[in-house]
Each structure stands twice: as structure tokens, then as C-alpha cells.
Amino acid sequence: MKPKYEADRLDRRILMLLQQNARLSNTEIGKRVGLSQPAVTARIQKMEQAGVITGYAARIDPGPLGMEISAYIRLRTTHEHIKRCLTLFDAIPAITQADRITGEDCFIVRVTVPTMNELEAVIDQLATLGAVTTSIVLASYPGKPLPLGS
């Protein structure tokens, strides 16, 4: 297990900017967070060495940030609750991905949290809109690029 990286408010702001646009210059990031370009560069290098930033477009390993639990939650609801579901998904920061799907369930969401208590809280919130089924992620493997032809 990787040691926990203690990201402060500025580190988290830098990570958010990199996730939105990993091609931002360190000078531009510095302007947005109130730091000099060398200070931004040093922080980014530290996060790279700690394994928080694992690649570009900024892919962030949630483990060193204390977010060690991931799960998929399937939600079965009614059509009248679709908009409420989408609003709730947006309001819950732990939900990092949401897909509307076919079949008996209506949505599958990916959740990443630091504790089981927080996972339970997300499940309880989603259960207000319908039946939920949760699967804990044991391991994740690198994604593949889209097959765009030869």
C-alpha cells in the first residue's frame, strides 16, 4: 500500500486544474492558484514522485490521497426520478462516473471514497431513489485506447 499523500488545498486545486486541462502551463496554473511558476512546478513534481499524478491527461491515483475504496452501485428507479438521480449524482463528489444503462437497472455509478462509512452514506442517499446493488472493486487495470482502426 502506498503511503498517504497529504495534499493541501493548493495541491487539490492544482489537481483539479490538471484534470480539466492537463496541457495548462505551470505559469497559467500558478496564476489561477496564486503561486509562482517554480512553486507550481515543485508541487507537481512532488505529486508525480508520490504517485498521485500517474499520467497525462492527468490521471490521479486516489489511494495516496486516502481514497482507497471504489465501488460500482447499480440503481433501479422509475423514469420519473431520472432527473432527480442526475441532480443527486452531481451533488455527491464521491460519484466519479455515472452511466444510464439498459436492463433491470437504470444507472451504474462509480464511487471512490476513503472509508466504508462514506460508501454507506452514498448508498443510503442513492437508495432514496430506488433499489441499489453494490459491488466493491478489488482491483483496477489500465484502460485501453479506443480502437480507431489500423
Side-chain angles (χ1 to χ4, degrees):
M1 183 165 86
K2 294 179 185 178
K4 183 176 177 181
Y5 180 81
E6 295 295 334
D8 64 12
R9 182 185 58 80
L10 290 172
D11 286 341
R12 291 179 190 281
R13 180 72 178 128
I14 290 168
L15 292 172
M16 291 300 296
L17 289 169
L18 287 172
Q19 288 182 97
Q20 292 167 2
N21 182 358
R23 298 191 71 176
L24 283 176
S25 70
N26 291 354
T27 301
E28 180 60 30
I29 292 170
K31 288 177 186 175
R32 294 184 188 192
V33 300
L35 292 174
S36 67
Q37 177 272 323
V40 170
T41 299
R43 283 174 177 265
I44 289 173
Q45 288 173 342
K46 186 176 175 184
M47 289 186 279
E48 288 171 346
Q49 291 168 355
V52 174
I53 297 176
T54 61
Y56 294 91
R59 290 183 304 268
I60 299 169
D61 181 348
L65 295 170
M67 308 293 280
E68 298 182 9
I69 300 167
S70 290
Y72 286 99
I73 302 173
R74 293 181 304 284
L75 172 63
R76 184 178 307 160
T77 190
T78 61
H79 187 74
E80 67 190 38
H81 290 118
I82 298 298
K83 287 184 181 180
R84 285 181 54 206
C85 289
L86 296 173
T87 300
L88 184 59
F89 299 161
D90 283 341
I92 301 173
I95 295 178
T96 58
Q97 181 179 339
D99 294 302
R100 189 168 176 190
I101 59 173
T102 62
E104 292 183 15
D105 298 319
C106 300
F107 291 100
I108 187 166
V109 297
R110 175 94 184 228
V111 176
T112 304
V113 292
T115 67
M116 291 301 284
N117 285 340
E118 291 185 49
L119 177 59
E120 181 180 18
V122 172
I123 292 167
D124 290 346
Q125 286 179 287
L126 295 177
T128 65
L129 296 172
V132 297
T133 305
T134 304
S135 298
I136 303 294
V137 174
L138 298 177
S140 292
Y141 305 99
K144 294 171 26 178
L146 290 173
L148 300 175
S150 46

